Amino acid sequence: MQLLAISDLHLTSRLNRLALEDLPSYPEDWLIIAGDVAEQMDIVADTLAILANHFAKVIWVAGNHELWSRPNSGEPIGANRYNALVARARALGVITPEDPFPVWPGSLPPGVNKLIIVPMFLLYDYSFRPDNVPLDIVVEWAEETYNVCSDEILLSPATYKSRIDWCHARLAQTEIRLKLEVPDNAHTILINHWPLRRDLISIPLVPRFTPWCGTLLTEDWHIRFNAYAVVTGHLHTRRTDMLGSTRFEEVSLGYPRQWNYKKGISKYLRLIIA
């Protein structure tokens, strides 16, 4: 039994959709999907249904692309959109950030007595910007190098006043749950679409994109909540980092130009626990 992970499937791409059709079944394994399945709600739901049939259990967290909404689409926006996606995932038996945190039932790594899988939806608050860039000019600063995230147009924060308010509300809710639901003697696998730490971001092609990549308020969560591993996506820079005893996994697939289609998606499933 294995715990596998991937993110940023971006199934708006035809090549990515075709590759998904060739994914073999893993009937004993669990799969983490760390956000950015697609922009259309129906495609997200259809993909989760396919994956739920390929794996023993699927754990999904929303990314920014799932939250994008376009005028006259007839789809909900903002927090209502997120809640609608959660409802559709739950109907398929997929675990979401709004469900009880599952306990990993497979083999445990050395020194780990109990492992809690923690899917989270935390967003960002622009605090990953450089320290010398004020918040009120961060979009203008990013625009100088054409690095402004499309979220500024397509990701509505409704029913919150701003994306920052939504992010901080999610942080508060999640922190309360972690304190209440994770035993002191347990380790965690923290899952979020956006990175938890600014110092692990390396995106030289879009260096001013960092404000849309997370929040400084999570930088010590891997310590506070005893993380065995942290699984994130968003950056399209597959990598593994170690900080102390915690493994940080960026598990993006990405757009067709960012991965080798001939290898198939299965080669990009990251092994978290074996």
Side-chain angles (χ1 to χ4, degrees), residues 2-256:
Q2 300 178 115
L3 179 62
L4 304 167
I6 197 167
S7 73
D8 297 79
L9 293 174
H10 290 294
L11 296 175
T12 299
S13 160
R14 177 177 173 273
L15 274 178
N16 287 25
R17 291 198 304 273
L18 290 173
L20 182 66
E21 293 177 3
D22 294 330
L23 184 69
S25 292
Y26 296 78
E28 296 181 356
D29 299 331
W30 289 21
L31 178 68
I32 293 166
I33 300 289
D36 278 8
V37 173
E39 292 79 14
Q40 296 84 8
M41 293 180 65
D42 285 345
I43 294 178
V44 175
D46 290 346
T47 301
L48 293 178
I50 291 169
L51 294 172
N53 285 328
H54 279 64
F55 292 85
K57 184 68 68 177
V58 174
I59 300 157
W60 165 80
V61 302
N64 55 314
H65 280 248
E66 281 101 336
L67 300 175
W68 285 4
S69 54
R70 298 183 184 276
N72 304 317
S73 69
E75 295 186 341
I77 65 173
N80 289 333
R81 182 181 185 87
Y82 171 71
N83 292 334
L85 285 164
V86 166
R88 295 185 72 168
R90 283 173 157 174
L92 298 166
V94 172
I95 296 173
T96 78
E98 309 313 308
D99 295 307
F101 301 144
V103 178
W104 173 243
S107 299
L108 294 171
V112 175
N113 297 317
K114 190 173 188 178
L115 194 57
I116 311 293
I117 300 176
V118 181
M120 305 183 295
F121 170 60
L122 302 178
L123 286 161
Y124 52 85
D125 63 2
Y126 304 89
S127 60
F128 277 4
R129 68 188 187 276
D131 295 337
N132 64 340
V133 176
L135 176 61
D136 60 352
I137 66 164
V138 68
V139 174
E140 178 184 344
W141 168 80
E143 204 164 44
E144 292 174 358
T145 53
Y146 308 102
N147 287 174
V148 176
C149 182
S150 296
D151 291 3
E152 292 299 310
I153 299 171
L154 298 175
L155 200 165
S156 168
T159 54
Y160 294 87
K161 292 182 179 179
S162 68
R163 299 178 196 91
I164 294 175
D165 287 343
W166 194 4
C167 170
H168 290 177
R170 294 299 310 183
L171 288 166
Q173 294 166 22
T174 307
E175 186 172 7
I176 289 171
R177 287 193 60 196
L178 281 160
K179 290 177 179 178
L180 291 175
E181 298 178 33
V182 177
D184 291 338
N185 63 342
H187 284 75
T188 61
I189 293 178
L190 302 179
I191 306 163
N192 189 47
H193 177 66
W194 294 270
L196 299 192
R197 292 186 59 89
R198 181 171 62 178
D199 58 351
L200 297 183
I201 295 175
S202 177
I203 43 175
L205 294 179
V206 283
R208 298 194 180 187
F209 188 75
T210 55
W212 294 271
C213 290
T215 168
L216 291 174
L217 295 173
T218 60
E219 294 224 315
D220 65 348
W221 278 31
H222 69 292
I223 298 171
R224 291 179 57 202
F225 302 115
N226 202 22
Y228 170 77
V230 176
V231 177
T232 60
H234 192 55
L235 303 180
H236 297 200
T237 55
R238 293 176 295 277
R239 56 185 284 175
T240 300
D241 294 282
M242 291 295 300
L243 285 182
S245 60
T246 302
R247 177 160 49 101
F248 287 74
E249 297 281 6
E250 207 284 357
V251 299
S252 298
L253 180 68
Y255 301 117

